[in-house]
Amino acid sequence: MGQIEWAMWANEQALASGLILVAGGIVATVGRFAQWYFGAYSIAAGALVCLLEYPRGRRRKGSTMERCGQKYVAAAVKLFGPLTRNYYVRAVLHLLLSVPAGFLLATILGTVCLAIASVIYLLAAIRGEQWLPIESKPKERPQAEDIKPPPSNPPPRPPAEARKKPNEDEVAAGGNPQVNPIPVTDEVV
Amino acid sequence: MGNWLVNHWFSVLILVVWIGLNVFLFVQTFLKYEKSDEYYYTREILGTALAVARASARCLNFNSMLILVPVCRNLLSFLRGTCSFCNRTLRKPLDQNLTFHKLVAYAICIFTAIHIIAHLFNFERYHTSQQAKDGSLASVLSGLSHHEKYGGSWLNPFQSPNMTVLYVTFTSIAGLTGVIGTVALILMVTSAMEFIRRHYFELFWFTHHLFIVYFLCLALHGFGRIVRGQTKDSMKESHPHKCAQSFEKWDHHDSHCRPPQFEGNPPESWKWIVAPVILYIFERILRLLRSQQRVMITKVVMHPSKVLELQMTKQGFSMEVGQYIFVKCPSISLLEWHPFTLTSAPEEDFFSIHVRAAGDWTENLIRAFEQHHSPVPRIQVDGPFGTVSEDVFQYEVAVLVGAGIGVTPFASILKSIWYKFQRADHNLKIQKAGHAALNFDKATDILTGLKQKTYFGRPKWENEFSTIATAHPKSVVGVFLCGPQTLAKNLRKCCHRYSSLDPRKVQFYFNKENF
């Protein structure tokens, strides 16, 4: 489990919670349920959470798949510097945001899910993870320039007798570990 | 498109039948609760939200029943084996089991959302009519409590005015199991997102076992019998059509109508899910038993780029090209099974996998074998499973494109073609196989040892396709890919562009296999 970046799962969970808060809030407000103003709060809180969580952070190793159109939101999120980079801040923020929605049945599912996301972020923060924006790569050069020219000389070949030996006798350094069950004849090109 | 349909008509049929059954169940249940008389009084309080909630509940039961079946991979292998005389097209849906599982999961999520929203309205309406003092039919019905002199039957679960919606939710079986089950479902879904699955597989694997919580909650959900309809006796005596209008007079001695009696619907979810759950338990037991069978590791090869090749034998193991196995290494993790494509050909007397370091478990595995411990770590194997890539053999010309570790399924195919060719197998249609392996390390192919032309840099697909089209102007060319989606888009475009309009001339057919 050592390589799991908990923040990535926390991010998915928080994004889902944001959507659930918005949905529950809409139901409570439109249906004019009792104490529906908690529903209105829930829509706002859910929208804020969605905006904050939409840009995916960079993975520690390898390339990260961006969410569609996230660079614009990421630019805004980057502006807050340590407030958005640090996962302790996010954990506390999500916990606080989730509490008022817990007073209404329509939004309590959002509360529980956001609280769980907060706990996962806390775990991520304890393990030293932080949100780093995905750097946009410079535009790839057109294909033609990528292809290196093939070598102009053929590789040096051993004298004709050596070439006739069957493959299994090759003891060359870094020799092919593949053992061919049916003998392979070397095509002399 | 036409070619795709010919190959996939059975899968499309299954899809259409599944959607049709969902629609049918939804509409039938909706009409029952919206129209039938035994819910007349219930509808008086709840309105149409009752029917919507019940209809989505029935679809949830149906889909929860279906979702366990596609992941019983041993059962599916058994079906594939038994139906080996069947047309290849009829067996194709068995290879798309995970796609179907995901589709059913999406349906469960959608129906859960509908069900919850409908019940939010239901609870709110029950709450409001409990508080109402306007003497309407709804408030009279809500007043029917446990202490009715005519036998104690109630309709509204909100028994007193100071019961809040939250209180009733968390003190009723239905509410509690509903919330817990939904939270389990949401956690399963967020950890099953493609991004998490690809990069943090163990997290997905462990979290997905929350399905046990989900199924338990689903089974218990209806035991509170909170959905109530009028009893048959009560309807015979005081049918709503004749008594509903005179509800103020129910208590009078000389009234023909008595207050209606209600009873809760018996729980039905467990009936839907009991069979698949038992099937799945058998599946897990079978995996356990198969994993106990001894696996002999005959050869371990360390390749560059941190790729480990394991050659193994197991009694009674037989495979086809392009299949995969699940591997467990108890010394690394007691619980984790990871899938790997078989890279050996069926003609060989061992089976092999090539493992690339892509996460915790794979890195630990490679390290364990690198250290030359004696004895070597024990390996457990389940399988083989999955698609048999027979399609490749049907084409005169096959172009196999594999990116990175995606070359593994084609290694198996190429080796098999080679053996068949050597042994002059007459069933082999293939005359020529071209292999584009996008690895940048060595000039020799590390997987198969086959000779190949060495090109520098990424292939220019337009050039490749036009060369093949000129070299084989009258052939049907199958293009097979195991690699990233962007490459798939590229290749599919090339297939369309270079296929001749004349059906007798060169045709390229693109196949992207889910390996």
Side-chain angles (χ1 to χ4, degrees):
Chain A
M1 290 289 205
Q3 285 190 22
I4 293 184
E5 293 180 63
W6 294 95
M8 296 296 157
W9 183 31
N11 170 264
E12 300 280 346
Q13 180 68 16
L15 190 60
S17 313
L19 292 169
I20 293 170
L21 278 172
V22 170
I26 292 178
V27 169
T29 316
V30 162
R32 279 286 198 264
F33 290 175
Q35 298 180 308
W36 63 269
Y37 36 85
F38 281 117
Y41 161 83
S42 182
I43 298 177
L48 175 65
V49 168
C50 282
L51 278 173
L52 175 62
E53 298 291 341
Y54 189 71
R56 190 177 273 146
R58 200 195 323 147
R59 281 173 60 214
R60 266 201 300 255
K61 284 197 297 192
S63 62
T64 315
M65 198 55 195
E66 281 191 351
R67 289 204 178 97
C68 182
Q70 79 168 46
K71 351 192 242 281
Y72 309 105
V73 192
V77 168
K78 251 193 292 195
L79 287 175
F80 288 88
L83 282 180
T84 42
R85 215 175 29 235
N86 188 305
Y87 285 139
Y88 281 112
V89 172
R90 278 202 206 200
V92 170
L93 176 70
H94 288 327
L95 195 59
L96 291 176
L97 282 176
S98 67
V99 169
F103 289 99
L104 204 57
L105 180 65
T107 50
I108 200 169
L109 196 62
T111 299
V112 176
C113 290
L114 194 56
I116 292 177
S118 160
V119 168
I120 309 174
Y121 265 130
L122 186 64
L123 180 59
I126 291 172
R127 287 164 46 90
E129 297 174 30
Q130 46 176 0
W131 187 85
L132 295 162
I134 301 176
E135 308 297 335
S136 55
K137 292 183 270 290
K139 270 203 109 65
E140 270 195 28
R141 288 169 298 158
Q143 277 252 318
E145 289 171 358
D146 264 348
I147 301 201
K148 303 194 239 347
S152 44
N153 294 324
R157 288 175 168 268
E161 300 100 43
R163 257 183 281 154
K164 293 250 171 45
K165 276 197 191 144
N167 264 8
E168 287 91 72
D169 289 343
E170 265 184 22
V171 200
N176 196 352
Q178 168 75 18
V179 171
N180 296 310
I182 300 178
V184 176
T185 47
D186 197 352
E187 278 178 24
V188 179
V189 174
Chain B
M1 174 67 184
N3 177 53
W4 180 87
L5 204 58
V6 162
N7 280 334
H8 291 86
W9 67 267
F10 195 48
S11 310
V12 172
L13 181 67
I14 291 178
L15 199 64
V16 166
V17 167
W18 172 69
I19 295 178
L21 279 172
N22 272 305
V23 168
F24 168 73
L25 283 170
F26 192 93
V27 169
Q28 186 206 34
T29 316
F30 183 86
L31 289 175
K32 170 178 169 192
Y33 282 86
E34 187 67 359
K35 301 280 182 219
S36 80
D37 295 328
E38 62 185 294
Y39 300 104
Y40 184 97
Y41 290 120
T42 326
R43 282 198 299 275
E44 196 51 46
I45 305 181
L46 299 179
T48 312
L50 169 72
V52 172
R54 296 306 307 150
S56 53
R58 180 142 301 159
C59 290
L60 272 174
N61 284 335
F62 174 60
N63 285 300
S64 299
M65 171 185 82
L66 288 180
I67 200 161
L68 279 178
V69 177
V71 287
C72 293
R73 51 181 190 247
N74 280 300
L75 168 72
L76 297 180
S77 278
F78 170 73
L79 281 177
R80 187 181 291 113
T82 342
C83 297
S84 51
F85 57 85
C86 282
N87 191 332
R88 181 174 34 99
T89 323
L90 287 176
R91 276 178 284 149
K92 222 174 179 72
L94 294 174
D95 305 330
Q96 295 164 321
N97 55 335
L98 284 181
T99 313
F100 188 61
H101 178 83
K102 288 179 212 169
L103 214 56
V104 175
Y106 284 131
I108 288 182
C109 291
I110 294 175
F111 283 121
T112 303
I114 299 176
H115 185 76
I116 293 177
I117 293 176
H119 271 321
L120 285 174
F121 278 98
N122 285 334
F123 262 34
E124 192 66 21
R125 286 176 186 169
Y126 265 147
H127 177 61
T128 318
S129 54
Q130 172 58 246
Q131 312 234 305
K133 302 277 182 269
D134 55 2
S136 63
L137 175 55
S139 68
V140 168
L141 287 168
S142 303
L144 296 172
S145 69
H146 291 285
H147 309 296
E148 228 354 273
K149 60 182 173 177
Y150 283 106
S153 90
W154 51 275
L155 175 59
N156 192 333
F158 286 72
Q159 289 293 295
S160 76
N162 51 14
M163 276 189 187
T164 61
V165 162
L166 278 172
Y167 175 83
V168 175
T169 304
F170 286 98
T171 51
S172 62
I173 298 177
L176 204 55
T177 54
V179 173
I180 296 176
T182 312
V183 171
L185 180 68
I186 293 171
L187 287 173
M188 272 197 279
V189 169
T190 56
S191 60
M193 294 273 103
E194 174 118 24
F195 183 74
I196 306 280
R197 246 178 25 241
R198 290 257 171 262
H199 303 303
Y200 315 105
F201 188 79
E202 295 132 341
L203 178 66
F204 153 69
W205 175 242
F206 284 124
T207 324
H208 225 63
H209 283 79
L210 282 170
F211 75 87
I212 301 173
V213 174
Y214 171 78
F215 273 95
L216 259 172
C217 289
L218 179 65
L220 295 172
H221 193 60
F223 273 80
R225 302 190 185 221
I226 203 172
V227 177
R228 298 174 74 80
Q230 202 175 0
T231 60
K232 284 215 166 44
D233 292 333
S234 171
M235 281 184 41
K236 245 193 297 220
E237 198 182 32
S238 334
H239 198 275
H241 285 168
K242 67 174 190 230
C243 291
Q245 306 304 321
S246 53
F247 64 89
E248 293 107 344
K249 301 210 203 77
W250 282 342
D251 282 329
H252 293 186
H253 291 292
D254 54 353
S255 158
H256 298 287
C257 294
R258 298 272 156 74
Q261 307 280 304
F262 296 99
E263 63 183 354
N265 287 351
E268 67 168 69
S269 294
W270 67 270
K271 298 181 198 163
W272 289 87
I273 62 175
V274 70
V277 164
I278 291 177
L279 205 66
Y280 189 74
I281 292 175
F282 274 141
E283 160 75 26
R284 292 301 284 252
I285 293 176
L286 192 59
R287 285 186 206 176
L288 186 67
L289 290 176
R290 283 179 87 167
S291 73
Q292 300 302 325
Q293 292 172 317
R294 193 157 205 84
V295 172
M296 303 290 298
I297 299 178
T298 54
K299 191 163 172 187
V300 177
V301 184
M302 217 32 178
H303 288 290
S305 288
K306 289 206 101 174
V307 173
L308 169 75
E309 175 184 353
L310 287 176
Q311 294 183 4
M312 303 169 269
T313 53
K314 182 173 153 196
Q315 205 179 23
F317 187 89
S318 83
M319 61 167 279
E320 304 286 339
V321 286
Q323 290 198 301
Y324 61 94
I325 52 171
F326 276 83
V327 173
K328 180 162 94 173
C329 189
S331 57
I332 299 177
S333 169
L334 281 171
L335 296 171
E336 295 171 41
W337 287 91
H338 292 258
F340 294 98
T341 315
L342 288 163
T343 47
S344 54
E347 289 86 356
E348 292 171 313
D349 56 5
F350 59 86
F351 61 96
S352 71
I353 54 171
H354 281 65
V355 180
R356 179 177 73 95
D360 279 344
W361 189 88
T362 37
E363 292 214 349
N364 285 334
L365 186 76
I366 291 175
R367 202 174 310 134
F369 278 93
E370 248 174 357
Q371 283 164 359
H372 303 292
H373 282 150
S374 125
V376 287
R378 243 198 79 196
I379 294 276
Q380 295 176 358
V381 161
D382 191 16
F385 302 107
T387 172
V388 175
S389 309
E390 291 171 326
D391 294 358
V392 174
F393 299 118
Q394 303 300 323
Y395 293 92
E396 290 166 36
V397 181
V399 178
L400 311 173
V401 182
I405 201 71
V407 304
T408 40
F410 300 127
S412 170
I413 295 172
L414 282 175
K415 283 201 262 191
S416 186
I417 294 176
W418 189 45
Y419 276 104
K420 287 187 161 59
F421 195 67
Q422 294 286 336
R423 295 176 188 168
D425 185 339
H426 294 295
N427 289 330
L428 184 64
K429 254 198 199 160
I430 285 191
Q431 299 300 317
K432 189 169 184 127
H435 179 204
L438 295 169
N439 56 39
F440 301 101
D441 269 358
K442 296 190 70 153
T444 331
D445 182 8
I446 58 170
L447 278 181
T448 63
L450 294 174
K451 284 218 176 293
Q452 59 164 37
K453 293 194 183 144
T454 308
Y455 289 110
F456 291 83
R458 193 177 290 184
K460 280 189 138 180
W461 297 114
E462 289 80 10
N463 290 353
E464 298 292 330
F465 273 79
S466 65
T467 318
I468 297 174
T470 351
H472 307 274
K474 292 227 173 65
S475 306
V476 175
V477 180
V479 177
F480 294 82
L481 169 72
C482 182
Q485 194 56 27
T486 34
L487 191 51
K489 257 194 279 206
N490 223 347
L491 288 176
R492 195 177 269 125
K493 243 195 304 193
C494 284
C495 282
H496 283 149
R497 200 177 306 149
Y498 288 93
S499 287
S500 153
L501 286 170
D502 185 346
R504 292 167 303 171
K505 298 229 182 87
V506 66
Q507 296 290 323
F508 286 90
Y509 288 117
F510 179 71
N511 297 274
K512 182 173 192 304
E513 301 284 336
N514 275 355
F515 286 106

